[in-house]
């Protein structure tokens, strides 16, 4: 059965699947990334995992994978197939596409994890049918994927969509990027966790705890939450002004709060828009499978550049 390998590499774990031509998932697997062993071990672990997936296809499906799609974090040169930098994994300038192609004996597409997840959300998830969308996952940091007619824009240098580094509070908290007052220092899941832990005096409290406290009517939690929502709305309206998306998809850990986040966020964005067209603001649909599903789409795109890629379903 003709199939491709889809592999999503995260800071601590890897998710993978073998994806058929009709979009069905024929096999799923997970492994630890193994970053505690260093960047060289991480790369070798990715290659070994891909080889094991190839072997599974041969043994159980009767043939080798026709291609592979791989999503990785950090700075990615998709055109040259190089994983340029990832702080969490410690690597620099890894020619991952070529290494994988050599190990697998098949063509490989390499993508940025957020843009790859955005590709899946745009084609088969919450943005399905939208010609222009912006996917913004709110996790440890904040990134973005700019969707245009079924593809995701990488930018001239691979930095398109870095909405988390829009300055929303000039002179505010220092950001590892070198600026001060960046959006992700105020509205990411980790930022809310830190703010709520300080406010409630519990160092183990996190963003999910803050959301629960908001729902129970805790005034302190509501203050922390609203400050994050206001910062997020400021950043999003800047993005809306520049990009004019039809659909705005919010994902990541903070989006798991559901309407506790979306109700005040929609209101805050609406208060800020003037001439801009208000987009449909919706939660992401694919959860933590988006990166893997998007990697499958990358692989099929590589094989079917002149046809519509199949729809991968969770």
């Amino acid at each position: 059965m003709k199939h491709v390998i889809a592999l999503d590499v995260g800071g601590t774990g890897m998710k993978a699947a073998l994806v058929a031509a009709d979009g069905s998932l024929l096999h799923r697997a997970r492994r630890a990334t193994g970053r505690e062993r260093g960047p060289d071990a991480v790369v070798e672990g990715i290659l070994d995992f891909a080889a094991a997936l190839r072997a599974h296809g041969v043994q159980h499906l009767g043939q080798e994978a026709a291609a592979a799609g791989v999503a990785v974090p950090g700075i990615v040169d998709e055109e040259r197939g190089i994983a340029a930098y990832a702080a969490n994994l410690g690597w620099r300038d890894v020619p991952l596409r070529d290494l994988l192609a050599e190990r697998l004996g098949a063509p490989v597409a390499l993508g940025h994890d957020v843009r790859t997840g955005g590709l899946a959300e745009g084609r088969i998830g919450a943005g399905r049918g939208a010609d222009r969308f912006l996917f913004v996952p709110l996790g440890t940091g904040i990134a973005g994927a700019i969707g245009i007619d079924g593809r995701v824009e990488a930018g001239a240098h691979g930095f398109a969509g870095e909405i988390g580094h829009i300055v929303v509070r000039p002179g505010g908290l220092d950001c590892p990027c070198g600026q001060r007052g960046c959006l992700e220092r105020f509205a990411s899941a980790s930022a809310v966790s830190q703010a709520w832990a300080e406010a409630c005096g519990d160092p183990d409290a996190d963003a999910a705890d803050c959301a629960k406290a908001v729902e129970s009517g805790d005034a302190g939690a509501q203050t922390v939450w609203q400050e994050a929502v206001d910062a997020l709305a400021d950043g999003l309206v800047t993005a809306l002004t520049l990009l004019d998306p039809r659909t705005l998809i919010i994902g990541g850990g903070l989006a798991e709060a559901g309407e506790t986040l979306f109700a005040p966020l929609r209101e805050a964005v609406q208060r800020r828009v003037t001439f801009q067209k208000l987009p449909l603001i919706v939660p992401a649909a694919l959860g933590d499978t988006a990166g893997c599903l998007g990697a499958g789409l990358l692989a099929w795109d590589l094989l079917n550049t002149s046809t519509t890629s199949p729809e991968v379903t969770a």
Side-chain angles (χ1 to χ4, degrees):
M1 180 178 292
K2 188 173 183 180
H3 63 277
V4 298
I5 293 169
L7 180 57
D8 178 24
V9 179
T12 58
M14 298 184 284
K15 297 180 285 290
L18 298 181
V19 187
D22 65 359
S24 59
L25 302 184
L26 306 172
H27 171 66
R28 301 189 197 197
R30 291 178 181 248
R31 282 191 185 182
T33 304
R35 64 179 179 177
E36 69 280 357
R37 301 195 304 273
D40 291 342
V42 170
V43 173
E44 191 57 38
I46 293 170
L47 298 177
D48 287 346
F49 194 16
L53 292 162
R54 173 184 175 276
H56 184 94
V58 171
Q59 181 177 356
H60 297 279
L61 304 175
Q63 60 179 278
E64 300 173 357
V70 184
V72 298
I75 299 170
V76 183
D77 184 336
E78 297 175 7
E79 185 174 344
R80 296 195 299 149
I82 293 174
Y85 175 71
N88 287 340
L89 299 178
W91 63 31
R92 287 184 181 271
D93 298 323
V94 178
L96 195 56
R97 183 181 65 193
D98 289 347
L99 291 172
L100 281 162
E102 182 179 357
R103 181 70 66 95
L104 297 173
V108 175
L110 182 68
H112 180 272
D113 58 352
V114 172
R115 288 195 291 270
T116 302
L119 178 69
E121 283 288 353
R123 285 198 198 169
I124 62 176
R128 185 171 183 166
D131 56 346
R132 300 288 191 278
F133 70 88
L134 177 62
F135 169 57
V136 181
L138 310 174
T140 302
I142 298 177
I146 303 165
I148 304 171
D149 291 332
R151 65 180 181 83
V152 173
E153 173 60 42
H157 307 96
F159 293 105
E162 289 293 343
I163 184 177
H165 297 290
I166 291 175
V167 174
V168 295
R169 299 292 181 265
L173 298 171
D174 288 336
C175 181
C177 79
Q179 301 183 116
R180 298 181 66 184
C182 288
L183 175 60
E184 71 174 39
R185 296 292 285 118
F186 297 91
S188 63
S190 58
V192 174
S193 294
Q194 181 179 349
W196 177 233
E198 292 173 357
C200 73
D202 179 0
D204 296 324
D206 60 15
D209 297 322
C210 185
K212 291 175 184 175
V214 168
E215 292 161 6
S216 69
D218 185 288
Q222 289 171 345
T223 297
V224 168
W225 196 258
Q226 191 61 49
E227 287 177 353
V229 167
D230 286 339
L232 181 56
D234 287 339
L236 291 176
V237 170
T238 298
L240 301 184
T241 305
L242 292 172
L243 302 173
D244 187 27
R246 200 172 305 279
T247 304
L248 176 56
I249 307 166
I250 307 296
L254 214 59
E256 293 176 7
E259 285 303 300
T260 300
L261 173 67
F262 283 93
L265 179 61
R266 292 187 183 107
E267 180 182 347
V269 170
Q270 188 164 18
R271 286 199 311 268
R272 286 163 171 78
V273 297
T274 54
F275 66 90
Q276 304 93 335
K277 292 294 185 182
L278 192 66
L280 184 65
I281 302 176
V282 298
L286 303 177
D288 69 353
T289 65
C292 188
L293 296 171
L297 292 171
L298 288 179
W300 283 113
D301 282 354
L302 196 61
L303 293 172
N304 304 315
T305 54
S306 62
T307 61
T308 301
S309 299
E311 295 181 349
V312 184
T313 54

